[in-house]
Amino acid sequence: MIIRDATDADWPRIWPFLRRICEAGETFSYPTDITEATGRDYWMLAPPARTVVAVADDGTVLGTAKMNANQGGNAAHVSSASFMVDPAHSGRGVGRALCAEALRWATAEGFRAMQFNAVVESNARAVKLYESLGFRVIGTVPEGFRHPRLGYVGLHIMHRAL
């Protein structure tokens, strides 16, 4: 797979799995009835932020990530990122590769840390992946996420110095 900057031409290949992930309501705090226009606004970030795609040799978009400053002003030295892997391609290292690229980008851009503001506690695969890449849970918002099957679960704040 290669990871490259996303283009407008990639959006039609991102939107179907982004919509399915949002509709499932298990891992993102985006609306479960997200519209395509809103999804595009949330995901396709303009510079200096960055949106990338992980693409297979045959051109299939396997997943995507967006990366940006976590906050503005005097807190703009901490980055953040979000990742979506097409469920049809999970378990192939796509999430790990996207996260590694986000860490590489943030370091190259001069950020001092990366912080994830809302990692759903029940998303054990994501938590395990992030921890394996050096992130740690620095706090949990109790019952901060209403999971469609599990009810109210915590939202982790995860952090890693760069």
Side-chain angles (χ1 to χ4, degrees):
M1 100 185 77
I2 63 162
I3 297 176
R4 61 166 174 76
D5 289 328
T7 67
D8 289 339
D10 292 315
W11 177 248
R13 297 183 293 164
I14 295 169
W15 169 240
F17 67 85
L18 186 144
R19 181 184 65 233
R20 283 193 310 273
I21 290 167
C22 291
E23 285 175 347
E26 295 183 353
T27 55
F28 274 81
S29 59
Y30 293 173
T32 55
D33 62 349
I34 195 167
T35 66
E36 185 173 0
T38 298
R40 185 182 179 95
D41 286 346
Y42 282 3
W43 204 261
M44 300 296 283
L45 303 181
R50 184 176 183 220
T51 301
V52 299
V53 287
V55 182
D57 292 339
D58 67 359
T60 301
V61 173
L62 307 171
T64 182
K66 65 175 185 164
M67 45 204 88
N68 49 274
N70 189 48
Q71 300 293 329
N74 288 345
H77 59 281
V78 176
S79 64
S80 190
S82 296
F83 313 96
M84 286 198 187
V85 175
D86 184 336
H89 302 289
S90 67
R92 296 175 50 186
V94 177
R96 178 174 295 280
L98 288 167
C99 192
E101 176 61 17
L103 289 166
R104 187 207 61 74
W105 172 83
T107 300
E109 292 295 311
F111 289 99
R112 295 178 50 90
M114 184 171 281
Q115 177 178 314
F116 303 145
N117 300 320
V119 180
V120 178
E121 184 176 45
S122 59
N123 189 354
R125 288 180 72 182
V127 172
K128 182 178 177 182
L129 169 63
Y130 302 150
E131 288 177 334
S132 77
L133 291 169
F135 288 85
R136 63 185 180 86
V137 175
I138 60 169
T140 302
V141 179
E143 297 187 345
F145 187 84
R146 186 174 42 84
H147 193 282
R149 289 180 298 103
L150 305 175
Y152 290 97
V153 299
L155 266 182
H156 290 322
I157 301 164
M158 298 188 76
H159 178 271
R160 179 192 151 164
L162 297 176

